């Protein structure tokens, strides 16, 4: 019966999100779902097993810390939307110079995230056919990179981007269905008197702290609101980014809390462990999760490929045609694929986005410093400075799980 409920919830919600005329006409929903889908995309798949392997049953607490850091950085980016965007193209002050560097860093971070998404897709695809081969994972990733890059060079990525709505809807529907399944599973354990935390508590050392720093990527994605200015006004982007971060925080805390009872030793280095983890909940979950993972990661890779190409065009003032930007992305991502594995690329992606976040926090600090009449100016300066320092630590010391 639970299998049927999970399938119905996933399909009904996915269909509503994909085909609802009311949502399609809502500017606020579009501005909310873009960062929400980005935050939930890959982090939802890897967060529970990776946290289980590092901190055990304390995972929900440390997930909360990652979310708190993300919300703090989000506040800096929201500050920049309100106070820096209106002056971004006026002159070449320190804030404008740092912002330019941050755009270059973000383009590089997108290069890494494209590789990360497709390596994760390859891992789930190989797990689905019961294969575990780093070589074939690289072959699959390279094939998909050549496909996406080739289409981008040939005729642009608009057609591939059109499938994003369906992939996002399926992923959000699957997330809701998984939460329903986990809730029922925990309730059944409680009512039968069999609910108990697993014995996977770990003593946290410096290496574990560095691995935790390398997991910032699982809550990344909210920064997309910063670059939706052509479609949505500043006030709407600020409000919807905050909403997306609140919603994702609630979902993550519920998910990690409900999944803790399923933790086992040995999960840490296996990014596809959510498949094995959810088998006791419902027989249909591994299949649905695999399908959602493959679809969502392909869609995310296309979106970030397009985003990186757009940033390169912007940085070069359109002197580099978009097809050559896609060629550059293809060459760099192919090199990254064969030089890293999926666990390593997670840490590299976290560090790249941490560097971008640090620069955005510095921009917010510089702008706040210039606004002498800004309310709560001292506390904001302290917040933005502290966040920049924490992001620097993530960039400098984050490392992959092993």
């Amino acid at each position: 019966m639970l299998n049927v409920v999970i399938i119905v919830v996933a399909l009904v919600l996915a269909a509503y999100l994909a085909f609802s005329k009311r949502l399609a006409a809502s500017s606020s929903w579009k501005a909310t779902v873009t960062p929400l889908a980005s935050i939930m995309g890959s982090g939802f798949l890897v967060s529970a097993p990776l946290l289980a392997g590092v901190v055990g049953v304390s995972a929900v607490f440390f997930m909360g810390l990652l979310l708190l850091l993300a919300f703090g950085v989000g506040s800096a980016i929201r500050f920049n939307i309100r106070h820096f965007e209106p002056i971004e193209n006026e002159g070449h002050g320190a804030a404008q110079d740092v912002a330019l560097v941050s755009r270059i860093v973000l383009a590089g971070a997108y290069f890494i995230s494209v590789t990360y998404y497709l390596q994760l897709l390859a891992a789930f695809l190989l797990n689905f056919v019961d294969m575990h081969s780093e070589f074939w994972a690289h072959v699959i990733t390279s094939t998909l990179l050549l496909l996406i890059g080739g289409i981008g060079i040939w005729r642009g990525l608009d057609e591939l981007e059109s499938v994003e709505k369906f992939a996002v809807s399926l992923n959000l529907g699957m997330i809701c269905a998984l939460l329903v399944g986990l809730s029922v599973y925990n309730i059944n354990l409680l009512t039968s008197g069999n609910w108990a935390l697993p014995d996977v508590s770990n003593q946290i050392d410096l290496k574990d702290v560095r691995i935790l720093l390398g997991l910032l990527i699982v809550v990344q994605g909210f920064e997309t609101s910063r670059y939706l200015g052509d479609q949505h006004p500043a006030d709407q982007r600020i409000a919807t980014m905050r909403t997306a971060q609140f919603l994702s925080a609630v979902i993550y805390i519920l998910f990690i809390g409900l999944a803790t009872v399923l933790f086992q030793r040995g999960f840490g280095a296996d990014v596809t462990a959510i498949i094995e983890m959810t088998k006791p909940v419902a027989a249909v979950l591994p299949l649905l999760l695999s399908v959602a993972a493959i679809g969502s990661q392909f869609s995310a890779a296309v979106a970030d490929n397009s985003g990186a190409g757009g940033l390169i065009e912007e940085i070069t003032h359109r002197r580099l045609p978009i097809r050559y930007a896609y060629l550059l992305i293809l060459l760099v991502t192919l090199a990254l694929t064969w030089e890293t594995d999926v666990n390593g690329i997670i840490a590299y992606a976290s560090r790249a986005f941490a560097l971008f976040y640090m620069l955005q926090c510095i921009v917010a600090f510089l702008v706040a410093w210039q606004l002498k009449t800004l309310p709560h100016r001292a506390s904001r300066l302290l917040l933005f400075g502290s966040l920049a320092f924490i992001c620097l630590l993530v960039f400098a010391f984050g490392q992959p799980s092993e």
Side-chain angles (χ1 to χ4, degrees):
M1 183 61 184
L2 182 56
N3 286 303
V4 174
V5 170
I6 287 172
I7 293 172
V8 170
V9 169
L11 293 181
V12 169
L13 182 57
Y16 175 71
L17 294 175
F19 300 109
S20 169
K21 293 181 179 180
R22 180 170 171 269
L23 291 182
S26 172
S27 178
S28 291
W29 170 247
K30 292 176 183 177
T32 301
V33 78
T34 299
L36 178 63
S38 188
I39 296 168
M40 301 306 305
S42 61
F44 196 81
L45 297 169
V46 303
S47 57
L50 291 178
L51 285 168
V54 179
V55 296
V57 295
S58 302
V60 70
F61 171 74
F62 285 96
M63 187 76 234
L65 291 181
L66 284 172
L67 291 164
L68 190 62
L69 172 59
F71 195 81
V73 175
S75 71
I77 293 178
R78 288 190 289 274
F79 179 88
N80 287 341
I81 291 173
R82 184 174 301 281
H83 295 284
F84 177 63
E85 278 189 4
I87 62 170
E88 185 171 7
N89 297 315
E90 296 179 4
H92 293 282
Q96 284 83 356
D97 292 339
V98 175
L100 174 60
V101 175
S102 78
R103 287 198 295 275
I104 297 171
V105 169
L106 182 60
Y110 279 152
F111 285 20
I112 299 173
S113 65
V114 168
T115 313
Y116 159 53
Y117 292 137
L118 293 182
Q119 286 202 25
L120 192 59
L121 183 159
F124 275 92
L125 183 60
L126 289 172
N127 183 78
F128 184 69
V129 297
D130 200 24
M131 280 183 62
H132 301 279
S133 167
E134 187 173 310
F135 172 78
W136 283 109
H138 288 163
V139 169
I140 292 170
T141 304
S142 300
T143 302
L144 292 171
L145 285 170
L146 288 167
L147 174 65
I148 295 171
I151 292 173
I153 294 167
W154 176 40
R155 56 191 301 173
L157 293 176
D158 290 347
E159 292 178 9
L160 284 181
E161 286 181 306
S162 65
V163 306
E164 183 180 9
K165 178 177 72 170
F166 301 103
V168 166
S169 299
L170 178 61
N171 195 44
L172 292 177
M174 187 60 248
I175 288 170
C176 185
L178 177 57
L179 290 177
V180 170
L182 287 171
S183 298
V184 172
Y185 182 76
N186 276 266
I187 290 170
N188 288 339
L189 288 178
L190 280 169
T191 55
S192 65
N194 294 320
W195 193 94
L197 288 175
D199 183 21
V200 290
S201 297
N202 293 336
Q203 292 293 326
I204 300 172
D205 56 22
L206 181 59
K207 179 182 176 182
D208 293 327
V209 172
R210 294 186 63 188
I211 293 173
L212 286 169
L213 292 175
L215 293 181
L216 181 63
I217 188 69
V218 303
V219 292
Q220 168 270 331
F222 52 88
E223 74 286 340
T224 54
S225 296
R226 171 74 171 82
Y227 299 99
L228 296 175
D230 290 341
Q231 296 90 22
H232 305 281
D235 286 343
Q236 187 178 62
R237 284 181 289 138
I238 290 168
T240 53
M241 188 214 286
R242 188 183 293 112
T243 299
Q245 286 199 280
F246 272 128
L247 286 174
S248 63
V250 170
I251 293 170
Y252 267 124
I253 293 298
L254 281 174
F255 170 56
I256 299 296
L258 292 169
T260 300
V261 72
L262 297 166
F263 286 178
Q264 299 176 24
R265 293 194 179 277
F267 274 164
D270 184 3
V271 295
T272 65
I274 190 173
I275 301 298
E276 187 69 28
M277 181 188 296
T278 55
K279 282 182 179 179
V281 178
V284 74
L285 274 176
L287 173 61
L288 292 180
L289 282 169
S290 296
V291 171
I294 291 168
S296 65
Q297 300 318 291
F298 182 80
S299 173
V302 171
D304 278 10
N305 207 303
S306 177
L311 278 169
I312 292 171
E313 265 199 315
E314 178 186 333
I315 292 165
T316 61
H317 302 289
R318 301 189 182 277
R319 285 194 288 268
L320 184 68
I322 190 68
R323 63 175 57 193
Y324 293 112
Y326 287 140
L327 177 61
L328 174 63
I329 295 165
L330 175 60
L331 295 175
V332 173
T333 52
L334 283 172
L336 282 170
T337 295
W338 289 92
E339 289 297 322
T340 62
D341 59 21
V342 67
N343 287 296
I345 204 70
I346 288 174
Y348 288 135
S350 290
R351 294 171 71 180
F353 277 101
L355 181 58
F356 169 72
Y357 293 153
M358 182 194 76
L359 293 170
Q360 284 291 302
C361 290
I362 291 173
V363 170
F365 182 92
L366 291 171
V367 173
W369 182 267
Q370 294 167 2
L371 297 174
K372 303 300 183 182
T373 59
L374 181 71
H376 312 294
R377 179 170 175 266
S379 60
R380 293 193 186 198
L381 288 171
L382 178 61
L383 173 64
F384 299 149
S386 300
L387 289 168
F389 179 71
I390 294 171
C391 290
L392 175 61
L393 293 179
V394 175
F395 171 70
F397 297 111
Q399 74 172 48
S401 60
E402 299 174 355

